[in-house]
Amino acid sequence: MEKTKINHDGIINLEQPLIKVPLEQFRKSFRTSQKLIEKEMQILITSVEDLAKSHPNQTILNDCKIIDSMVNRIQALKRKLDETKFEEAMYAKRTKQRIDHLLQLTNITTVDSEEYKRWSRLRLERIIVEYMLRNGCSESAEKLANDAGIRELVDIELFAQARKIEDGLRRKSCFECLTWCGDNRSNLRKMKVNYIDL
């Protein structure tokens, strides 16, 4: 019986990236929203202060232009926040699905059970898709992920982003790589990686 018992802790330790990646993406999207709000609010506060300090001889037309500009900025901010809200919801959904996938394992007690065989098959398909993505077989990997119903359990978009950076470097273009470094500046600092100040 001891040979057929599942080592849940060992498997969960191996599966940490499954949960970590969407959580990191969620955190990054949230930080982007937060920075966007702070930046726009500072601009709006400055505009309101300028409006309050406006000279009495200034025309109402000028004040209306300032207010219209503020309204346009708020509307643009709302559109951008709606986009990040969609992203955050997608990452939250993806995280939940991955946690549910791992929770299925906790209800399985032996490696001989049909449930474990199904769970292992899904895990194997996930590993194959990730292997294919790492080796440039993106279309085949995406088809396998869709056919197996595991798209939410693999990070196709993340590998596509990495592939764009690699392709740029092959073309001797650093733009994509430098953009990525700029987007991930704080993480690079935490890892004490020397990066180029943008």
Side-chain angles (χ1 to χ4, degrees):
M1 180 69 181
E2 195 63 35
K3 286 183 178 180
T4 62
K5 188 176 179 184
I6 296 175
N7 179 1
H8 291 99
D9 292 337
I11 293 174
I12 298 295
N13 281 337
L14 289 173
E15 296 294 341
Q16 284 181 8
L18 182 68
I19 303 297
K20 188 176 182 178
V21 171
L23 284 176
E24 285 294 320
Q25 290 172 321
F26 180 85
R27 201 169 91 218
K28 181 179 174 186
S29 179
F30 177 76
R31 277 194 320 263
T32 301
S33 298
Q34 189 177 23
K35 287 178 185 177
L36 189 62
I37 291 169
E38 289 172 0
K39 176 186 169 194
E40 290 299 324
M41 289 306 293
Q42 189 58 47
I43 291 170
L44 289 170
I45 288 169
T46 303
S47 296
V48 168
E49 289 171 351
D50 290 346
L51 193 59
K53 293 177 186 175
S54 67
H55 194 272
N57 292 338
Q58 278 188 333
T59 64
I60 293 175
L61 184 61
N62 189 44
D63 291 346
C64 287
K65 285 181 184 178
I66 293 172
I67 292 170
D68 285 343
S69 171
M70 290 169 49
V71 168
N72 289 337
R73 288 196 84 89
I74 291 171
Q75 289 172 340
L77 175 63
K78 184 184 180 317
R79 279 191 302 275
K80 290 176 186 176
L81 290 177
D82 285 343
E83 290 172 15
T84 58
K85 181 181 176 183
F86 174 77
E87 270 184 25
E88 290 169 5
M90 179 186 67
Y91 295 136
K93 178 184 172 195
R94 188 172 287 170
T95 302
K96 183 185 179 328
Q97 288 176 329
R98 292 177 182 203
I99 289 171
D100 290 345
H101 171 67
L102 291 177
L103 282 175
Q104 289 173 359
L105 180 66
T106 61
N107 297 325
I108 303 169
T109 55
T110 65
V111 294
D112 296 333
S113 68
E114 284 301 314
E115 293 88 10
Y116 183 72
K117 289 176 184 173
R118 275 194 299 276
W119 191 88
S120 293
R121 173 74 181 183
L122 208 62
R123 182 179 184 210
L124 177 62
E125 288 170 337
R126 229 183 59 236
I127 291 169
I128 291 170
V129 167
E130 288 181 357
Y131 176 82
M132 293 167 76
L133 288 167
R134 281 187 180 90
N135 289 288
C137 303
S138 303
E139 290 177 24
S140 299
E142 194 167 347
K143 180 165 178 20
L144 175 58
N146 290 333
D147 291 349
I150 59 170
R151 187 173 180 89
E152 296 297 325
L153 300 178
V154 291
D155 300 303
I156 293 172
E157 297 85 7
L158 189 65
F159 282 99
Q161 182 184 25
R163 181 75 51 212
K164 285 180 186 175
I165 294 168
E166 289 175 2
D167 291 344
L169 292 172
R170 280 190 195 96
R171 291 189 321 270
K172 297 181 177 19
S173 167
C174 295
F175 177 76
E176 294 87 356
C177 184
L178 292 174
T179 301
W180 183 89
C181 289
D183 292 344
N184 294 281
R185 182 178 299 177
S186 62
N187 287 338
L188 292 171
R189 269 193 214 119
K190 286 178 193 173
M191 294 186 307
K192 297 181 181 168
V193 173
N194 292 331
Y195 64 94
I196 300 170
D197 281 327
L198 300 175

